[in-house]
Amino acid sequence: MNVVVGMCTDEYVTAETTLSLAKTWAAFPEMGSRLLMMKGGCADLAATRNHLVRIFLATDADWLLTVDTDIVWEPADFERLWNSAQDELFVSGTYMVAKEPAAPCAVVFKYDKFYSLNITEDSPELYAVSAVGAGFALIHRSVFTRS
């Protein structure tokens, strides 16, 4: 399990996110405790994440776990991502966007239009989507290195 955790932050990481990370490292010691943290927030998130990926590619890690600084998860959530990633090169734990009504941070593109997924926070299924948030995503190195 050759995984590096990557976070982009403007300045703060919540205590809950830090605890989630510590619990995951404790539950999966073979994961190691490697963290890449990039300063730079929402103002230029794409550039900050691209910088994070360049640094990740300079490591020997096979997988990058991207985590937003306000995401909370349990080790079982990471294990589910990991198990799903054995068949896919990019998997993301869908999280709910804070709006009314709450909606998953994922969409499907059909017939020249984007549609939100009709799921709840408790939906256990995996979905193929057109776009998804990378706030809790496991990405294989080959996603960035294919030509």
Side-chain angles (χ1 to χ4, degrees), residues 4-8 45-46 49-50 52-53 64-71 73 81 90-95 97 104-107 129 131-139 143-144:
V4 169
V5 177
M7 285 187 192
C8 299
L45 186 57
R49 281 198 173 143
N50 286 340
L52 176 74
V53 167
L64 174 63
L65 174 65
T66 59
V67 177
D68 281 356
T69 59
D70 61 350
I71 294 292
W73 74 95
L81 273 184
F90 182 108
V91 292
S92 180
T94 302
Y95 44 93
V97 176
C105 187
V107 294
V129 297
V132 66
F136 188 59
L138 190 58
I139 310 164
V143 169
F144 305 113

Short mmCIF file of all heavy atoms in Angstrom, two decimals, residues 4-8 45-46 49-50 52-53 64-71 73 81 90-95 97 104-107 129 131-139 143-144:
data_model
loop_
_atom_site.label_atom_id
_atom_site.label_comp_id
_atom_site.label_asym_id
_atom_site.label_seq_id
_atom_site.Cartn_x
_atom_site.Cartn_y
_atom_site.Cartn_z
N VAL A 4 0.56 8.23 -0.68
CA VAL A 4 0.91 9.53 -0.10
C VAL A 4 -0.38 10.32 0.02
O VAL A 4 -1.22 10.31 -0.88
CB VAL A 4 1.91 10.30 -1.00
CG1 VAL A 4 2.06 11.74 -0.55
CG2 VAL A 4 3.25 9.61 -1.00
N VAL A 5 -0.56 11.00 1.14
CA VAL A 5 -1.72 11.87 1.34
C VAL A 5 -1.33 13.27 0.90
O VAL A 5 -0.26 13.76 1.26
CB VAL A 5 -2.17 11.88 2.81
CG1 VAL A 5 -3.34 12.83 3.02
CG2 VAL A 5 -2.53 10.47 3.27
N GLY A 6 -2.19 13.90 0.13
CA GLY A 6 -1.93 15.27 -0.32
C GLY A 6 -3.07 16.20 0.07
O GLY A 6 -4.24 15.87 -0.11
N MET A 7 -2.70 17.36 0.63
CA MET A 7 -3.69 18.38 1.01
C MET A 7 -3.26 19.72 0.48
O MET A 7 -2.08 20.06 0.52
CB MET A 7 -3.80 18.50 2.53
CG MET A 7 -4.52 17.43 3.24
SD MET A 7 -4.71 17.90 4.97
CE MET A 7 -5.23 16.35 5.65
N CYS A 8 -4.23 20.49 0.03
CA CYS A 8 -4.01 21.88 -0.33
C CYS A 8 -4.76 22.71 0.71
O CYS A 8 -5.93 22.46 0.97
CB CYS A 8 -4.57 22.18 -1.72
SG CYS A 8 -3.79 21.20 -3.02
N LEU A 45 -6.97 26.98 -6.67
CA LEU A 45 -6.91 25.58 -6.26
C LEU A 45 -6.32 24.69 -7.35
O LEU A 45 -5.55 23.78 -7.07
CB LEU A 45 -8.31 25.09 -5.86
CG LEU A 45 -8.39 23.69 -5.27
CD1 LEU A 45 -7.50 23.54 -4.05
CD2 LEU A 45 -9.83 23.35 -4.93
N ALA A 46 -6.66 24.94 -8.61
CA ALA A 46 -6.14 24.11 -9.70
C ALA A 46 -4.61 24.17 -9.76
O ALA A 46 -3.94 23.13 -9.87
CB ALA A 46 -6.74 24.54 -11.03
N ARG A 49 -3.19 22.30 -6.73
CA ARG A 49 -3.29 20.84 -6.89
C ARG A 49 -2.31 20.34 -7.95
O ARG A 49 -1.72 19.27 -7.80
CB ARG A 49 -4.71 20.44 -7.24
CG ARG A 49 -5.61 20.41 -6.02
CD ARG A 49 -6.86 19.62 -6.26
NE ARG A 49 -7.59 19.49 -5.02
CZ ARG A 49 -8.91 19.51 -4.93
NH1 ARG A 49 -9.65 19.64 -6.03
NH2 ARG A 49 -9.51 19.37 -3.78
N ASN A 50 -2.11 21.10 -9.02
CA ASN A 50 -1.12 20.71 -10.03
C ASN A 50 0.28 20.66 -9.44
O ASN A 50 1.07 19.76 -9.74
CB ASN A 50 -1.16 21.66 -11.22
CG ASN A 50 -2.38 21.43 -12.09
OD1 ASN A 50 -3.01 20.38 -12.05
ND2 ASN A 50 -2.74 22.44 -12.87
N LEU A 52 0.94 20.07 -6.28
CA LEU A 52 0.91 18.89 -5.42
C LEU A 52 1.18 17.62 -6.24
O LEU A 52 1.97 16.77 -5.84
CB LEU A 52 -0.45 18.79 -4.73
CG LEU A 52 -0.70 17.56 -3.87
CD1 LEU A 52 0.09 17.66 -2.58
CD2 LEU A 52 -2.18 17.41 -3.58
N VAL A 53 0.57 17.51 -7.40
CA VAL A 53 0.75 16.34 -8.26
C VAL A 53 2.20 16.25 -8.73
O VAL A 53 2.80 15.16 -8.74
CB VAL A 53 -0.22 16.37 -9.46
CG1 VAL A 53 0.18 15.35 -10.52
CG2 VAL A 53 -1.64 16.12 -8.98
N LEU A 64 -1.98 8.56 -4.80
CA LEU A 64 -2.15 9.86 -4.13
C LEU A 64 -3.57 9.90 -3.58
O LEU A 64 -4.54 9.75 -4.32
CB LEU A 64 -1.94 11.00 -5.13
CG LEU A 64 -2.23 12.42 -4.60
CD1 LEU A 64 -1.30 12.79 -3.47
CD2 LEU A 64 -2.14 13.43 -5.75
N LEU A 65 -3.67 10.09 -2.26
CA LEU A 65 -4.97 10.29 -1.62
C LEU A 65 -5.12 11.78 -1.40
O LEU A 65 -4.41 12.36 -0.58
CB LEU A 65 -5.04 9.55 -0.29
CG LEU A 65 -6.30 9.79 0.56
CD1 LEU A 65 -7.54 9.24 -0.15
CD2 LEU A 65 -6.15 9.17 1.94
N THR A 66 -5.99 12.42 -2.17
CA THR A 66 -6.22 13.86 -1.99
C THR A 66 -7.33 14.04 -0.96
O THR A 66 -8.36 13.36 -1.01
CB THR A 66 -6.60 14.56 -3.30
OG1 THR A 66 -7.78 13.97 -3.84
CG2 THR A 66 -5.46 14.46 -4.31
N VAL A 67 -7.08 14.95 -0.04
CA VAL A 67 -8.01 15.18 1.06
C VAL A 67 -8.19 16.68 1.24
O VAL A 67 -7.21 17.41 1.38
CB VAL A 67 -7.47 14.56 2.37
CG1 VAL A 67 -8.39 14.85 3.54
CG2 VAL A 67 -7.27 13.06 2.22
N ASP A 68 -9.44 17.13 1.22
CA ASP A 68 -9.72 18.53 1.57
C ASP A 68 -9.52 18.71 3.06
O ASP A 68 -9.64 17.76 3.84
CB ASP A 68 -11.15 18.91 1.19
CG ASP A 68 -11.32 19.22 -0.28
OD1 ASP A 68 -10.31 19.20 -1.02
OD2 ASP A 68 -12.47 19.46 -0.70
N THR A 69 -9.24 19.94 3.46
CA THR A 69 -8.90 20.22 4.86
C THR A 69 -10.10 20.21 5.79
O THR A 69 -9.92 20.35 7.00
CB THR A 69 -8.18 21.57 4.97
OG1 THR A 69 -9.04 22.59 4.45
CG2 THR A 69 -6.87 21.56 4.21
N ASP A 70 -11.29 20.01 5.26
CA ASP A 70 -12.47 19.95 6.13
C ASP A 70 -13.24 18.64 5.97
O ASP A 70 -14.38 18.52 6.40
CB ASP A 70 -13.40 21.13 5.85
CG ASP A 70 -13.92 21.16 4.41
OD1 ASP A 70 -13.41 20.38 3.57
OD2 ASP A 70 -14.81 21.97 4.12
N ILE A 71 -12.62 17.64 5.35
CA ILE A 71 -13.26 16.34 5.16
C ILE A 71 -13.04 15.48 6.40
O ILE A 71 -11.94 15.45 6.96
CB ILE A 71 -12.68 15.63 3.91
CG1 ILE A 71 -13.04 16.40 2.65
CG2 ILE A 71 -13.14 14.19 3.82
CD1 ILE A 71 -14.50 16.38 2.29
N TRP A 73 -13.57 11.50 7.81
CA TRP A 73 -13.81 10.13 7.38
C TRP A 73 -13.33 9.17 8.44
O TRP A 73 -12.64 9.55 9.38
CB TRP A 73 -13.13 9.84 6.04
CG TRP A 73 -11.63 9.70 6.12
CD1 TRP A 73 -10.93 8.54 6.24
CD2 TRP A 73 -10.65 10.75 6.11
NE1 TRP A 73 -9.57 8.80 6.29
CE2 TRP A 73 -9.38 10.15 6.21
CE3 TRP A 73 -10.73 12.14 6.02
CZ2 TRP A 73 -8.20 10.88 6.23
CZ3 TRP A 73 -9.55 12.87 6.04
CH2 TRP A 73 -8.31 12.25 6.14
N LEU A 81 -12.39 3.00 -0.35
CA LEU A 81 -11.72 3.61 -1.51
C LEU A 81 -10.63 2.68 -2.02
O LEU A 81 -10.51 2.44 -3.22
CB LEU A 81 -11.08 4.94 -1.13
CG LEU A 81 -11.89 6.20 -1.19
CD1 LEU A 81 -11.01 7.39 -0.86
CD2 LEU A 81 -12.57 6.40 -2.52
N PHE A 90 -8.94 5.79 -10.55
CA PHE A 90 -9.37 7.01 -9.89
C PHE A 90 -10.70 6.73 -9.22
O PHE A 90 -11.67 6.40 -9.89
CB PHE A 90 -9.55 8.15 -10.90
CG PHE A 90 -9.94 9.47 -10.29
CD1 PHE A 90 -9.02 10.50 -10.23
CD2 PHE A 90 -11.20 9.69 -9.78
CE1 PHE A 90 -9.37 11.73 -9.67
CE2 PHE A 90 -11.57 10.90 -9.22
CZ PHE A 90 -10.64 11.92 -9.16
N VAL A 91 -10.73 6.82 -7.90
CA VAL A 91 -11.98 6.67 -7.15
C VAL A 91 -12.09 7.82 -6.17
O VAL A 91 -11.09 8.30 -5.63
CB VAL A 91 -12.09 5.32 -6.41
CG1 VAL A 91 -12.21 4.16 -7.39
CG2 VAL A 91 -10.92 5.10 -5.47
N SER A 92 -13.31 8.27 -5.97
CA SER A 92 -13.54 9.38 -5.06
C SER A 92 -14.69 9.05 -4.13
O SER A 92 -15.71 8.51 -4.57
CB SER A 92 -13.86 10.66 -5.84
OG SER A 92 -14.08 11.75 -4.96
N GLY A 93 -14.50 9.36 -2.87
CA GLY A 93 -15.59 9.25 -1.92
C GLY A 93 -16.48 10.47 -2.09
O GLY A 93 -16.04 11.59 -1.84
N THR A 94 -17.68 10.25 -2.57
CA THR A 94 -18.58 11.37 -2.81
C THR A 94 -19.03 11.95 -1.49
O THR A 94 -19.46 11.23 -0.60
CB THR A 94 -19.80 10.92 -3.64
OG1 THR A 94 -19.32 10.36 -4.85
CG2 THR A 94 -20.71 12.08 -3.93
N TYR A 95 -18.92 13.24 -1.37
CA TYR A 95 -19.35 13.94 -0.17
C TYR A 95 -20.42 14.93 -0.55
O TYR A 95 -20.55 15.32 -1.71
CB TYR A 95 -18.16 14.62 0.52
CG TYR A 95 -17.25 15.35 -0.42
CD1 TYR A 95 -17.43 16.70 -0.69
CD2 TYR A 95 -16.21 14.68 -1.07
CE1 TYR A 95 -16.59 17.37 -1.58
CE2 TYR A 95 -15.38 15.35 -1.95
CZ TYR A 95 -15.57 16.69 -2.20
OH TYR A 95 -14.76 17.35 -3.08
N VAL A 97 -22.38 18.42 -0.81
CA VAL A 97 -22.11 19.85 -0.91
C VAL A 97 -23.11 20.56 -0.01
O VAL A 97 -24.30 20.25 -0.03
CB VAL A 97 -22.24 20.33 -2.37
CG1 VAL A 97 -22.05 21.82 -2.48
CG2 VAL A 97 -21.25 19.59 -3.25
N PRO A 104 -24.79 15.49 -3.66
CA PRO A 104 -23.43 14.94 -3.75
C PRO A 104 -22.56 15.78 -4.68
O PRO A 104 -23.05 16.37 -5.64
CB PRO A 104 -23.64 13.53 -4.31
CG PRO A 104 -24.97 13.58 -4.98
CD PRO A 104 -25.78 14.62 -4.28
N CYS A 105 -21.27 15.81 -4.39
CA CYS A 105 -20.31 16.54 -5.21
C CYS A 105 -19.90 15.65 -6.38
O CYS A 105 -18.77 15.19 -6.47
CB CYS A 105 -19.11 16.96 -4.37
SG CYS A 105 -17.98 18.05 -5.25
N ALA A 106 -20.88 15.35 -7.24
CA ALA A 106 -20.65 14.52 -8.41
C ALA A 106 -21.80 14.74 -9.39
O ALA A 106 -22.93 14.97 -8.97
CB ALA A 106 -20.60 13.04 -8.02
N VAL A 107 -21.48 14.67 -10.68
CA VAL A 107 -22.51 14.83 -11.70
C VAL A 107 -22.29 13.84 -12.84
O VAL A 107 -21.20 13.31 -13.02
CB VAL A 107 -22.54 16.27 -12.29
CG1 VAL A 107 -22.96 17.29 -11.23
CG2 VAL A 107 -21.21 16.64 -12.90
N VAL A 129 -19.33 8.35 -12.96
CA VAL A 129 -19.76 9.74 -13.08
C VAL A 129 -18.91 10.47 -14.11
O VAL A 129 -17.84 10.00 -14.50
CB VAL A 129 -19.68 10.48 -11.72
CG1 VAL A 129 -20.62 9.85 -10.71
CG2 VAL A 129 -18.26 10.51 -11.18
N ALA A 131 -18.06 13.86 -13.58
CA ALA A 131 -17.22 14.77 -12.79
C ALA A 131 -17.50 14.53 -11.32
O ALA A 131 -18.64 14.27 -10.92
CB ALA A 131 -17.53 16.22 -13.16
N VAL A 132 -16.45 14.62 -10.53
CA VAL A 132 -16.57 14.37 -9.10
C VAL A 132 -15.54 15.22 -8.37
O VAL A 132 -14.49 15.55 -8.91
CB VAL A 132 -16.37 12.86 -8.79
CG1 VAL A 132 -14.96 12.42 -9.09
CG2 VAL A 132 -16.76 12.53 -7.36
N GLY A 133 -15.85 15.59 -7.15
CA GLY A 133 -14.91 16.35 -6.33
C GLY A 133 -13.71 15.49 -5.96
O GLY A 133 -13.81 14.26 -5.87
N ALA A 134 -12.58 16.13 -5.77
CA ALA A 134 -11.36 15.41 -5.39
C ALA A 134 -11.02 15.63 -3.92
O ALA A 134 -9.89 15.48 -3.50
CB ALA A 134 -10.19 15.87 -6.27
N GLY A 135 -12.02 15.96 -3.12
CA GLY A 135 -11.80 16.22 -1.70
C GLY A 135 -11.48 14.98 -0.89
O GLY A 135 -10.97 15.07 0.23
N PHE A 136 -11.76 13.81 -1.42
CA PHE A 136 -11.42 12.53 -0.78
C PHE A 136 -11.29 11.51 -1.91
O PHE A 136 -12.18 10.70 -2.15
CB PHE A 136 -12.49 12.13 0.23
CG PHE A 136 -12.12 10.93 1.07
CD1 PHE A 136 -10.99 10.94 1.87
CD2 PHE A 136 -12.92 9.80 1.06
CE1 PHE A 136 -10.66 9.83 2.65
CE2 PHE A 136 -12.60 8.68 1.83
CZ PHE A 136 -11.48 8.70 2.63
N ALA A 137 -10.19 11.60 -2.63
CA ALA A 137 -10.01 10.79 -3.84
C ALA A 137 -8.68 10.03 -3.79
O ALA A 137 -7.69 10.53 -3.28
CB ALA A 137 -10.05 11.67 -5.08
N LEU A 138 -8.70 8.84 -4.33
CA LEU A 138 -7.52 8.01 -4.44
C LEU A 138 -7.19 7.86 -5.92
O LEU A 138 -8.01 7.37 -6.70
CB LEU A 138 -7.78 6.65 -3.79
CG LEU A 138 -6.59 5.73 -3.59
CD1 LEU A 138 -5.50 6.39 -2.73
CD2 LEU A 138 -7.04 4.42 -2.95
N ILE A 139 -5.99 8.32 -6.30
CA ILE A 139 -5.63 8.43 -7.71
C ILE A 139 -4.30 7.71 -7.96
O ILE A 139 -3.30 7.98 -7.28
CB ILE A 139 -5.49 9.92 -8.11
CG1 ILE A 139 -6.71 10.71 -7.68
CG2 ILE A 139 -5.25 10.04 -9.62
CD1 ILE A 139 -6.50 12.22 -7.67
N VAL A 143 -2.55 7.78 -13.85
CA VAL A 143 -3.53 8.77 -14.33
C VAL A 143 -2.80 10.02 -14.78
O VAL A 143 -3.20 10.68 -15.75
CB VAL A 143 -4.55 9.10 -13.22
CG1 VAL A 143 -5.41 10.30 -13.57
CG2 VAL A 143 -5.43 7.87 -12.93
N PHE A 144 -1.70 10.37 -14.11
CA PHE A 144 -0.97 11.60 -14.43
C PHE A 144 0.14 11.38 -15.45
O PHE A 144 0.65 12.34 -16.01
CB PHE A 144 -0.35 12.18 -13.15
CG PHE A 144 -1.33 12.41 -12.06
CD1 PHE A 144 -1.30 11.68 -10.89
CD2 PHE A 144 -2.31 13.39 -12.18
CE1 PHE A 144 -2.21 11.89 -9.88
CE2 PHE A 144 -3.23 13.62 -11.19
CZ PHE A 144 -3.18 12.88 -10.02
#
